């Protein structure tokens, strides 16, 4: 991806950077600008998702005196004007309305703008780099993003992979950030690396950087900073596991509820975990009797269908014949979630 970005930097093509939040889209945009012949001209960035539509237009195009209530007396140049000769980075371009999409398309085609409330046409010479964390192809198919604008900005697409898929980078980035904040060369221990690899990093590189910054600043020394980092990762991994289990339950909630009271499943899992602690498996008839003793009256068929539902969720495994069922690690997490 970096090699492709280096080649694109030598051209003047518009670029669309794709990637999840926190992967470093603005960093790549800045790097492309710095490696281009426009490097000595302005690099201006705007996050389109952070502004309402009325402000986006005035921020991009500028306005003349008296253009609207609250306008500055002397008017104001927009970011297109301020970026002339350089690069304008439009972050979160997937958030803009169809109205702004039309105006942006016209700028890309005509390479000129007009301030709000003005009559003067201003030619602009700049490079546009856009970025989004949304599925822009899907948006085009659904009609929420203009196809003609997509083809204008997507001449040179760059996709930044999420941190969880860049296993080799996780340790290197971790050591880099620790060394930056500790002001000394830092090596990641195998135990810490295992915790780092077990976590999914939904916030990507930004999340890794901020957690390390927090831990190094809160810890009194390097050792305590590492300990805080390990504890934080352990809690995050545990919370993420519970969250994924919660999502599994929520997605299957209708089918579980349709099969019967959710307390039935809780009671079944409790019996299965007890059987596991005793080194046993539990059959349907035995499970039915144990549930009866708890005041849960189910037929053999009802027990069977509930076990099948749990098996589809990956929470239990059932053997053929009379060898019974046993709870899986996913089932233990589901049990923990339901109990809490």
């Amino acid at each position: 991806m970096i090699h492709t970005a280096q080649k694109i930097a030598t051209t003047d093509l518009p670029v669309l950077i794709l990637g999840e939040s926190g992967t470093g889209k603005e960093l790549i945009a800045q790097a492309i600008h710095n490696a281009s012949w426009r490097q000595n001209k302005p690099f201006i960035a705007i996050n389109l998702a952070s502004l309402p539509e009325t402000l986006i237009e005035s921020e991009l195009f500028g306005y003349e005196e008296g253009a609207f209530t609250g306008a500055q007396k002397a008017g104001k140049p927009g970011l297109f004007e301020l970026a002339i000769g350089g690069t304008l980075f439009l972050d979160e371009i997937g958030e803009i309305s169809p109205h702004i999409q039309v105006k942006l398309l016209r700028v890309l085609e005509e390479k000129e703008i007009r301030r709000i409330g003005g009559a003067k046409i201003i030619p602009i010479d700049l490079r546009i780099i856009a970025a989004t964390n949304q599925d822009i192809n899907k948006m085009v198919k659904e009609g929420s993003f203009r196809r003609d604008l997509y083809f204008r900005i997507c001449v040179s697409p760059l996709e930044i992979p999420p941190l969880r898929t860049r296993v080799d980078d996780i340790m290197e980035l971790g050591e880099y950030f620790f060394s930056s904040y500790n002001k000394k060369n830092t090596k990641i221990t195998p135990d810490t690396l295992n915790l780092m690899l077990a976590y999914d990093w939904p916030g990507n590189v930004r999340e890794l950087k901020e957690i390390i910054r927090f831990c190094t600043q809160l810890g009194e020394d390097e050792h305590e900073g590492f300990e805080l980092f390990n504890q934080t990762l352990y809690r995050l991994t545990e919370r993420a596991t519970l969250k994924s289990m919660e999502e599994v339950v929520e997605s299957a909630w209708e089918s579980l509820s349709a099969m019967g009271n959710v307390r039935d499943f809780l009671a079944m899992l409790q019996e299965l975990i007890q059987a596991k602690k005793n080194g046993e498996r539990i059959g349907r008839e035995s499970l039915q009797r144990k549930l009866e003793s708890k005041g849960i009256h189910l037929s053999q068929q009802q027990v069977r269908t509930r076990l099948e539902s749990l098996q589809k969720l990956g929470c239990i495994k059932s053997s053929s014949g009379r060898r019974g069922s046993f709870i899986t690690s996913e089932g233990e997490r589901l049990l923990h979630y339901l109990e809490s």
Side-chain angles (χ1 to χ4, degrees), residues 1 5 8 14-20 23-33 43 87 89-94 128-134 136 153-161:
M1 188 275 297
I8 289 171
V15 183
L16 177 63
I17 303 174
L18 306 169
E20 295 178 6
T23 50
K25 296 186 288 294
E26 184 170 348
L27 190 71
I28 293 295
Q30 179 79 64
I32 290 171
H33 171 78
F43 174 85
T87 301
F89 176 54
L90 303 174
D91 198 7
E92 306 297 355
I93 196 169
I128 297 286
I129 300 179
T132 182
N133 59 14
Q134 298 194 42
I136 200 83
I153 62 173
C154 199
V155 178
S156 309
L158 281 176
E159 186 162 1
I160 307 178

Side-chain angles (χ1 to χ4, degrees), residues 14 39 42 61 72 93 106 114 137 147 197 220 225 279 291:
Q39 60 185 282
F61 294 90
Q72 294 179 18
I93 196 169
R106 191 173 298 127
R114 187 172 60 188
N137 280 303
R147 188 177 297 272
L197 296 178
E220 293 186 1
L291 292 173

Side-chain angles (χ1 to χ4, degrees), residues 20 35 81 118 129 134 143 169 174 182 194 215 219 247 311 326 339:
E20 295 178 6
E81 283 182 70
I129 300 179
Q134 298 194 42
D169 289 354
N182 282 328
N194 286 335
C215 293
E247 289 168 352
Q311 188 164 7
F326 64 94
E339 287 180 330

Side-chain angles (χ1 to χ4, degrees), residues 4 41 66 79 86 91 127 149 171 220 226 287 330 338:
T4 304
K41 298 294 184 178
L79 298 184
D91 198 7
R127 180 180 204 162
L149 176 58
M171 183 176 74
E220 293 186 1
F226 254 116
L287 183 58
E330 290 297 310
L338 291 176

Side-chain angles (χ1 to χ4, degrees), residues 1 3 13 43 66 92 137 151 156 161 164 202 209 220 228 251 271 275 277 305 317-318 333:
M1 188 275 297
H3 177 66
L13 295 169
F43 174 85
E92 306 297 355
N137 280 303
F151 288 124
S156 309
R164 61 183 171 275
K209 178 182 178 181
E220 293 186 1
L228 282 170
S251 67
E271 292 299 335
K277 290 176 181 176
T305 52
K317 287 188 177 178
S318 297
R333 285 197 285 269

Side-chain angles (χ1 to χ4, degrees), residues 258-293:
M259 296 303 301
N261 195 312
V262 177
R263 286 186 299 171
D264 298 352
F265 295 96
L266 173 59
M268 288 175 124
L269 290 169
Q270 287 171 334
E271 292 299 335
L272 287 161
I273 194 71
Q274 188 58 50
K276 181 179 180 179
K277 290 176 181 176
N278 297 336
E280 303 168 349
R281 294 189 180 192
I282 189 166
R284 287 196 301 273
E285 290 183 9
S286 177
L287 183 58
Q288 184 187 27
R289 288 194 300 271
K290 289 179 181 294
L291 292 173
E292 286 275 353
S293 68

Side-chain angles (χ1 to χ4, degrees), residues 46-306:
I46 178 173
N47 188 315
L48 299 168
S50 64
L51 297 172
E53 183 180 345
T54 50
L55 276 181
I56 289 176
E57 191 169 354
S58 62
E59 284 293 310
L60 289 176
F61 294 90
Y63 54 83
E64 296 293 354
E65 180 180 350
F68 50 83
T69 303
Q72 294 179 18
K73 285 188 177 180
K76 180 185 174 184
L79 298 184
F80 281 120
E81 283 182 70
L82 296 175
I84 286 177
T87 301
L88 179 60
F89 176 54
L90 303 174
D91 198 7
E92 306 297 355
I93 196 169
E95 299 288 339
I96 60 175
S97 68
H99 171 70
I100 300 296
Q101 290 178 33
V102 171
K103 287 184 167 289
L104 179 56
L105 178 62
R106 191 173 298 127
V107 171
L108 290 168
E109 288 177 340
E110 299 173 5
K111 296 191 175 1
E112 58 186 28
I113 62 161
R114 187 172 60 188
R115 289 186 185 181
I116 297 173
K120 180 182 175 183
I121 300 296
I122 304 170
I124 57 167
D125 170 35
L126 51 76
R127 180 180 204 162
I128 297 286
I129 300 179
T132 182
N133 59 14
Q134 298 194 42
D135 187 342
I136 200 83
N137 280 303
K138 183 180 177 183
M139 293 178 69
V140 170
K141 290 175 184 175
E142 292 174 346
S144 58
F145 197 87
R146 292 183 63 97
R147 188 177 297 272
D148 44 7
L149 176 58
Y150 171 72
F151 288 124
R152 274 284 182 179
I153 62 173
C154 199
V155 178
S156 309
L158 281 176
E159 186 162 1
I160 307 178
L163 183 60
R164 61 183 171 275
T165 67
R166 295 155 53 187
V167 177
D168 293 339
D169 289 354
I170 291 176
M171 183 176 74
E172 202 164 337
L173 284 165
E175 290 182 344
Y176 170 76
F177 291 134
F178 264 116
S179 299
S180 298
Y181 293 122
N182 282 328
K183 308 300 181 187
K184 60 176 74 173
N185 189 34
T186 304
K187 295 296 180 185
I188 298 290
T189 65
D191 288 343
T192 299
L193 179 60
N194 286 335
L195 286 170
M196 292 171 76
L197 296 178
Y199 185 50
D200 260 357
W201 298 106
N204 292 292
V205 181
R206 183 189 294 125
E207 183 181 19
L208 174 62
K209 178 182 178 181
E210 290 305 312
I211 290 175
I212 291 175
R213 182 172 72 91
F214 169 78
C215 293
T216 51
Q217 290 183 358
L218 206 62
E220 293 186 1
D221 52 34
E222 185 180 11
H223 175 72
E224 189 173 340
F226 254 116
E227 283 300 308
L228 282 170
F229 184 61
N230 289 346
Q231 291 168 19
T232 302
L233 284 182
Y234 181 79
R235 286 197 301 271
L236 286 171
T237 305
E238 191 176 49
R239 194 180 306 155
T241 300
L242 285 173
K243 184 181 178 185
S244 65
M245 200 67 245
E246 183 176 346
E247 289 168 352
V248 167
V249 174
E250 286 178 354
S251 67
W253 195 260
E254 286 186 16
S255 62
L256 287 177
S257 299
M259 296 303 301
N261 195 312
V262 177
R263 286 186 299 171
D264 298 352
F265 295 96
L266 173 59
M268 288 175 124
L269 290 169
Q270 287 171 334
E271 292 299 335
L272 287 161
I273 194 71
Q274 188 58 50
K276 181 179 180 179
K277 290 176 181 176
N278 297 336
E280 303 168 349
R281 294 189 180 192
I282 189 166
R284 287 196 301 273
E285 290 183 9
S286 177
L287 183 58
Q288 184 187 27
R289 288 194 300 271
K290 289 179 181 294
L291 292 173
E292 286 275 353
S293 68
K294 289 186 171 184
I296 299 173
H297 307 289
L298 300 174
S299 67
Q300 275 286 305
Q301 182 59 37
Q302 287 174 321
V303 172
R304 180 199 295 271
T305 52
R306 283 156 178 71

